[in-house]
Amino acid sequence: MYTVFSLWDTFRALHPLFNLIERNRTGDMVRSMLSMYQHDGHLPVWELAACETWCMIGYHSVPVIVDAFKKGITNFDERLALEAMKATAESNLFGLNWYREKGYIPADKEGASVSKTLEYAYDDWCIAEMANMLGDEDTYRTYLQRAQHYKNLYDPETRFFRGKSNGCFVEPFDPNEVNFMLTEANTWQYNFFVPQDINTHIRMMGGDSAYEAKLDQLFTSSAGLSGRHQSDITGLIGEYAHGNEPSHHMAYLYNYIGKPSKTQELVHRIMNELYTNQPDGLSGNEDCGQMSAWYVLSALGFYPVTPGSDKYVLGTPGVGVATIRMENGHTFTVKASGLNADKYFVREVFYNGEPWTKSYITHDMILQGGELIFVMDEKPGPAYGVAFRDRPVQQIVDHPIIPVPFFKASSRTFEDQLTVELACIDPEASLVYNKGGGQTGFNPYEQPFHLSENATLFAKALRQGNESFTEQANFLKIPAGLSVDISNPYSPQYTAGGDKALVNTIRGGDQFTTGNWQGYWGDDLVATIDLGKETKIKSIGAGFLQDERFSLPIILIPGLPPA
C-alpha cells in the first residue's frame, strides 16, 4: 500500500518515469489508488498519509493509471480502474456539476474555474483513452467530447483561455495577472495546457506561425507578474515558470510546429540555469519528485508531454551517456555524441544505427531496448524534425463538439440601454438565441441587439445537425442616476463589476473566489452612495463575507439623513 500521492505535480513526469524504471511498483501504486476508491468512493486527488487533503485540483490519478496501462503495466483490475475514473469524474465536487452542465466552469460559480476546466478536460481525455483500450465505445464518446470542453473558454480575440461569468468573458483581462480563476499561475502559464489536443489548439491559435509567436512571447515577455503574490511561481523565463508544474511541458511544444531547435535551446537553458547541486538547487518546490523527474527525463533527451499517450518528445540530452536498465531485462542507452557546453543543438539522431528523423520516440522503442544517439553541434540540424511527417502529433479527431457561444456586453447591469453581441469560435456554426423564452423558441442571430429592460438570454451554436451547450446570461437594469464614491480602492482582482457593485443588486454568493465580491485588503470600506435625488429610504442592507483566514471587524456607519 503506497501513500503520499502529490498527483497534480507528479502525473506530469514522476509517474511516467516510474513507468520506465519502477514498473512493478507502479502496479502496486495503481492498486493502492483503487483501494482508496473502494473505501472513499473516489480516486485520490492529493492523498497524504491515508488522508485525502483536497489541496489541489483535477483528478490526476486518472492519467497515472491510464499512462501505466497504455505502457503495458496491467497487473491491476482495469475494469475497476475505469469504474473508479468514471465515478470520480461524475461527482459534483469542485465545480464538476457546472462543468458537465455548461461545458465549462463559470468564474462566478467556482474558484480556479479556468484551471479546473482545462485540467478536467485533459483527465477526461485519459478516461476516453482507457475506455477505447477496453472497447467501451459509449464511454469513449462521452469523455472524448468532455475532453474538448477546453474550447469553451478560448477567446479568439486575445488567443487566451479566459474565465467566463454570466456567459461573457471576464473583464478587465490581464494575462500576467495571478487571480482567483487560476491555480498557482497566471493566464500565460495555463494558456498552453491542452496536452490532449495540441494540434487542434495550434489551429485555433491561427496555425504554426501564430502558435510559434505566442510561445515566443511566453518565454521572452518582460512584463512580469501582476495580481496577488503567489510564492509557488518561481524559476521565471519570461512568463514561463519552471518552479511550478503547469509550465513543465511547454518548452517541448515547439516540436509540434517543426521548430525543435527552439525546444533544444530552452531545455538546455532550463537544465543549466534552473538546476544546480547547491542546497537551493531547485527553482521551486520539489513537490514529491516532479522537479527532479523533469530533470532526469530531460537529461535523457526526451519528455512525456502527454501522459496517457505512447510518445516522448525529444529535446537535448544533458549527459554524454545514460542507460536505462529495465525490469524486462532490456537496456536502452542514450548517447550524446560531441556534447559540450557549446554543442547542445541536435544535428541528427540515430536509433539502433539507422537515421531517425522524427522529433519524438515511442515507449515501445525504449521497452524493446536499443541505442539512441544524438549527434550534437553548435548549430541545429537544418532538416531534423522540421517536416510535418517528422513532428509529434497529438490531436482529437473523433466526435468533435460545437463550442459554446458567448455574449459580448459592456456590463451585466445598465441604466438606459445595453448593446449585446453573440459570437462563437467556430466560424462555420450558426448562432441562435431568445430573450426570456427558456430553452425553446430560438431565433437566428444576425446582428447585435439592444436591451432596455431586464432580460434573460439563451443562446447556442448549430452545425451539421449538432448543437452546443446552451449558454445563458442575465442582464439587469438598475435605477439611473446612482453614484458611488469609494474612498479606499478595492482589489483589482475582486471588483464585482466596478464601483456600482454596491448598488447593482447582485449578491456575492458563498465564495469570495468567484469574483462577485468586492474585496478589500488592509483598508476599510468607506463609500458614499448618492441616489441622485431626494428619496424616502425604508431600509438599507449590505452583505459581507469574511475570509476565514483573517479577522475583519465590520462597522456600519450611517451617513447623513436625507435633505
Side-chain angles (χ1 to χ4, degrees):
M1 190 71 184
Y2 280 81
T3 186
V4 189
F5 288 114
S6 176
L7 294 162
W8 185 80
D9 310 293
T10 57
F11 84 85
R12 306 166 197 267
L14 180 67
H15 286 284
L17 178 60
F18 287 165
N19 290 338
L20 290 171
I21 64 174
E22 295 287 357
R23 292 173 62 81
N24 290 333
R25 283 180 173 156
T26 291
D28 290 338
M29 292 178 195
V30 171
R31 287 196 297 274
S32 298
M33 294 177 189
L34 296 181
S35 176
M36 293 171 192
Y37 158 69
Q38 290 174 310
H39 285 85
D40 299 337
H42 58 80
L43 288 166
V45 172
W46 208 121
E47 181 272 349
L48 175 66
C51 294
E52 179 54 67
T53 68
W54 303 114
C55 72
M56 295 307 294
I57 67 171
Y59 30 95
H60 295 311
S61 295
V62 170
V64 172
I65 297 170
V66 175
D67 195 53
F69 194 73
K70 184 83 169 184
K71 293 171 180 174
I73 299 172
T74 59
N75 56 337
F76 58 87
D77 187 337
E78 66 269 19
R79 295 289 172 181
L80 176 63
L82 184 59
E83 173 194 312
M85 294 174 195
K86 292 169 64 178
T88 304
E90 296 299 330
S91 77
N92 290 327
L93 296 170
F94 307 116
L96 277 167
N97 54 325
W98 294 107
Y99 174 81
R100 290 194 302 273
E101 180 180 326
K102 295 180 67 68
Y104 69 92
I105 299 174
D108 57 343
K109 302 299 183 184
E110 180 80 16
S113 59
V114 174
S115 298
K116 287 176 181 175
T117 297
L118 295 177
E119 295 200 22
Y120 290 159
Y122 163 65
D123 290 340
D124 287 343
W125 173 81
C126 292
I127 297 175
E129 282 293 292
M130 190 72 176
N132 193 39
M133 288 187 284
L134 296 179
D136 186 340
E137 176 59 32
D138 289 342
T139 299
Y140 173 66
R141 173 189 285 270
T142 296
Y143 284 91
L144 200 65
Q145 291 183 326
R146 283 175 52 154
Q148 299 170 68
H149 282 0
Y150 74 90
K151 298 176 182 177
N152 296 325
L153 290 184
Y154 181 72
D155 174 19
E157 185 174 333
T158 63
R159 295 178 179 173
F160 282 105
F161 293 111
R162 294 178 54 185
K164 279 183 181 176
S165 178
N166 194 46
C168 305
F169 287 112
V170 174
E171 297 286 358
F173 173 64
D174 174 6
N176 307 304
E177 182 181 74
V178 182
N179 60 43
F180 67 91
M181 292 175 282
L182 299 150
T183 300
E184 296 184 0
N186 65 13
T187 299
W188 275 110
Q189 292 148 18
Y190 261 100
N191 204 44
F192 296 92
F193 189 80
V194 194
Q196 75 277 21
D197 203 10
I198 295 168
N199 293 84
T200 299
H201 187 212
I202 292 170
R203 177 177 54 79
M204 289 168 59
M205 284 270 200
D208 290 358
S209 296
Y211 191 81
E212 180 182 9
K214 203 74 166 180
L215 270 177
D216 288 348
Q217 194 176 356
L218 166 71
F219 287 102
T220 60
S221 172
S222 59
L225 305 176
S226 64
R228 72 166 182 256
H229 172 70
Q230 183 76 49
S231 60
D232 305 84
I233 303 176
T234 54
L236 290 172
I237 299 176
E239 294 295 322
Y240 172 90
H242 192 73
N244 210 25
E245 280 67 25
S247 295
H248 272 192
H249 66 292
M250 293 180 185
Y252 288 89
L253 292 176
Y254 285 104
N255 284 33
Y256 292 81
I257 54 173
K259 297 295 177 70
S261 62
K262 289 191 172 183
T263 286
Q264 294 156 24
E265 187 167 22
L266 282 164
V267 170
H268 173 80
R269 180 178 175 185
I270 294 167
M271 284 193 294
N272 284 274
E273 292 183 8
L274 299 180
Y275 289 86
T276 75
N277 59 359
Q278 300 301 310
D280 61 350
L282 295 176
S283 60
N285 192 325
E286 167 67 332
D287 283 323
C288 299
Q290 170 60 25
M291 288 290 289
S292 294
W294 185 96
Y295 185 90
V296 170
L297 286 165
S298 294
L300 288 169
F302 52 84
Y303 190 80
V305 170
T306 307
S309 79
D310 67 343
K311 293 186 180 70
Y312 301 89
V313 178
L314 298 182
T316 181
V319 292
V321 180
T323 299
I324 304 173
R325 296 179 177 85
M326 290 168 289
E327 293 167 20
N328 64 5
H330 295 161
T331 60
F332 185 76
T333 299
V334 177
K335 294 181 179 179
S337 176
L339 176 68
N340 61 38
D342 299 317
K343 292 184 177 181
Y344 54 82
F345 286 109
V346 177
R347 189 174 76 230
E348 53 187 339
V349 178
F350 294 87
Y351 173 64
N352 287 342
E354 297 294 328
W356 182 260
T357 59
K358 302 183 186 301
S359 62
Y360 66 91
I361 58 175
T362 66
H363 184 75
D364 281 346
M365 291 170 63
I366 299 175
L367 211 59
Q368 292 169 9
E371 185 177 68
L372 188 71
I373 298 177
F374 293 84
V375 180
M376 313 304 294
D377 206 337
E378 294 179 2
K379 297 179 180 179
Y384 163 72
V386 173
F388 185 82
R389 66 179 179 274
D390 291 330
R391 307 175 192 176
V393 174
Q394 183 61 51
Q395 186 169 22
I396 295 174
V397 177
D398 296 341
H399 309 305
I401 67 166
I402 311 299
V404 178
F406 54 93
F407 295 100
K408 300 169 74 173
S410 60
S411 174
R412 184 174 177 179
T413 61
F414 61 99
E415 296 181 357
D416 181 30
Q417 192 176 77
L418 181 70
T419 300
V420 179
E421 298 179 55
L422 188 59
C424 181
I425 68 169
D426 187 341
E428 298 179 5
S430 58
L431 305 180
V432 296
Y433 77 104
N434 69 43
K435 299 179 183 179
Q439 299 198 33
T440 59
F442 286 85
N443 301 307
Y445 171 80
E446 297 176 349
Q447 61 185 8
F449 52 87
H450 307 289
L451 301 177
S452 56
E453 299 293 339
N454 291 350
T456 298
L457 306 180
F458 297 89
K460 55 187 176 181
L462 312 174
R463 180 163 55 82
Q464 298 179 348
N466 297 313
E467 62 182 49
S468 70
F469 286 90
T470 300
E471 186 58 281
Q472 178 179 341
N474 300 292
F475 296 100
L476 305 176
K477 187 174 184 178
I478 62 176
L482 301 180
S483 65
V484 181
D485 179 26
I486 298 176
S487 299
N488 299 325
Y490 47 80
S491 167
Q493 298 180 62
Y494 301 100
T495 69
D499 289 357
K500 291 193 176 181
L502 296 182
V503 295
N504 69 7
T505 75
I506 299 172
R507 306 298 292 182
D510 61 359
Q511 297 184 51
F512 81 96
T513 57
T514 55
N516 281 341
W517 286 97
Q518 200 168 83
Y520 294 83
W521 176 274
D523 287 314
D524 293 332
L525 166 61
V526 179
T528 303
I529 299 173
D530 187 343
L531 303 182
K533 61 182 179 180
E534 184 175 315
T535 305
K536 186 175 181 179
I537 300 296
K538 292 183 178 179
S539 64
I540 296 176
F544 298 87
L545 181 67
Q546 178 176 313
D547 185 348
E548 69 275 9
R549 293 174 295 176
F550 305 99
S551 176
L552 301 177
I554 295 169
I555 303 172
L556 291 181
I557 302 175
L560 296 175

